[in-house]
Amino acid sequence: RAVDSELFEMLGNVAVEEPRIWMFKSQELSNTVWAFATLCCHHPQLFSKVEKAAVVKRQEMVPQNIANILWAYAKLQVPTSHMFGALLQVACSQLSQYKRQELSTVIWSASQVCPQQAEFFGMAARLCCHRLKEFSPNAIANLTRDLSCVEMNEPWFFITIMKEGTRRLPHFDPGALCILLRDALKASKNPSLSSCWDDISEALGLISENLAPRAARLRTLELQDTSEALFAQHWPDGQPYPA
């Protein structure tokens, strides 16, 4: 790992030499930051230059380029100025071209960095609703997680996704059920979803009923995280959620 870090540091130093980064194609920009993020190697100067180049070249980018770049910056928690907004705007114009994994990646990345992008999340959630058959139970759980704490102008799309999850509950493994339960709890406190409280409450009941018989199969960390989420949660009337 030390060798990897030293090598990537050297590669980053070469890449930032002017005007080299501006000679990178969109795919090369994407591959570069993806590789650095995969090994958790942050090169501040490189990421700063790639951000500027990505904004300039954004109209040339295909979905995989945008997904990989946003994922890399979100994973390493690299501060950006306008890149996320600029790339999400491009993504919105071509969302129908995104594969399921690319769409999930962009949603996760945006939820980590700019959860206030209500227009993007609304469009992305709407598209997911039309393509729910492409999502496995685990992918549905992750999608619910990523959308549970973001701003949405059209909350019904989140509810549609969550209901698809509850429809498939027998096919969820215990870990995925934990994710679904914790994030339904989070959704119950999201002001953007306040109009859908009854639907979220119903989903919580169904998830709990399916999780209870399988609780013995939970890993220690899953059990601990779920217990903490339940104890920390309070319903609108101020009463603790009955675990």
Side-chain angles (χ1 to χ4, degrees):
R1 179 58 188 277
V3 174
D4 290 338
S5 298
E6 292 176 5
L7 176 60
F8 271 72
E9 181 70 20
M10 293 173 59
L11 292 172
N13 291 340
V14 173
V16 298
E17 295 175 359
E18 291 290 354
R20 193 182 301 270
I21 204 70
W22 296 101
M23 300 168 64
F24 280 35
K25 297 178 182 179
S26 298
Q27 186 68 46
E28 294 165 341
L29 292 172
S30 167
N31 290 348
T32 298
V33 293
W34 179 87
F36 271 76
T38 298
L39 290 179
C40 297
C41 294
H42 179 29
H43 190 294
Q45 190 177 5
L46 172 66
F47 275 75
S48 176
K49 286 183 176 290
V50 169
E51 176 186 357
K52 295 174 183 176
V55 171
V56 171
K57 297 174 182 285
R58 65 188 184 278
Q59 298 297 343
E60 307 170 10
M61 292 187 176
V62 298
Q64 185 186 47
N65 300 157
I66 292 177
N68 285 352
I69 289 173
L70 295 182
W71 175 83
Y73 280 75
K75 184 178 190 301
L76 294 179
Q77 299 182 344
V78 181
T80 64
S81 52
H82 307 297
M83 187 188 72
F84 262 79
L87 295 190
L88 288 178
Q89 187 175 28
V90 175
C92 284
S93 69
Q94 54 182 221
L95 273 182
S96 61
Q97 301 174 28
Y98 278 62
K99 297 176 183 176
R100 198 278 302 169
Q101 184 58 52
E102 294 166 344
L103 183 59
S104 296
T105 298
V106 174
I107 291 173
W108 176 82
S109 303
S111 73
Q112 300 301 299
V113 176
C114 47
Q116 74 283 359
Q117 290 277 352
E119 181 179 0
F120 164 74
F121 289 116
M123 293 181 65
R126 182 190 297 113
L127 180 60
C128 289
C129 288
H130 291 303
R131 296 170 56 180
L132 284 174
K133 291 182 179 179
E134 300 177 26
F135 290 79
S136 67
N138 277 22
I140 290 285
N142 291 335
L143 187 58
T144 303
R145 174 200 64 201
D146 299 337
L147 294 174
S148 63
C149 295
V150 303
E151 292 185 20
M152 296 187 68
N153 293 331
E154 301 175 90
W156 179 246
F157 294 122
F158 172 82
I159 298 303
T160 300
I161 294 168
M162 188 175 63
K163 285 189 173 183
E164 177 66 14
T166 58
R167 188 181 71 80
R168 298 196 215 172
L169 287 176
H171 303 290
F172 279 66
D173 61 51
L177 282 174
C178 285
I179 294 174
L180 201 61
L181 178 64
R182 291 197 302 267
D183 295 302
L185 288 168
K186 290 179 185 177
S188 71
K189 293 302 180 184
N190 185 340
S192 297
L193 304 173
S194 59
S195 62
C196 303
W197 165 248
D198 289 342
D199 293 297
I200 295 173
S201 177
E202 180 182 359
L204 281 166
L206 292 171
I207 298 166
S208 298
E209 289 175 8
N210 277 264
L211 180 58
R214 290 184 267 177
R217 293 168 53 192
L218 294 175
R219 293 191 289 267
T220 301
L221 184 58
E222 292 171 338
L223 185 60
Q224 179 181 341
D225 289 346
T226 303
S227 298
E228 289 177 356
L230 289 168
F231 281 118
Q233 179 68 22
H234 290 270
W235 296 91
D237 60 4
Q239 297 300 313
Y241 180 76

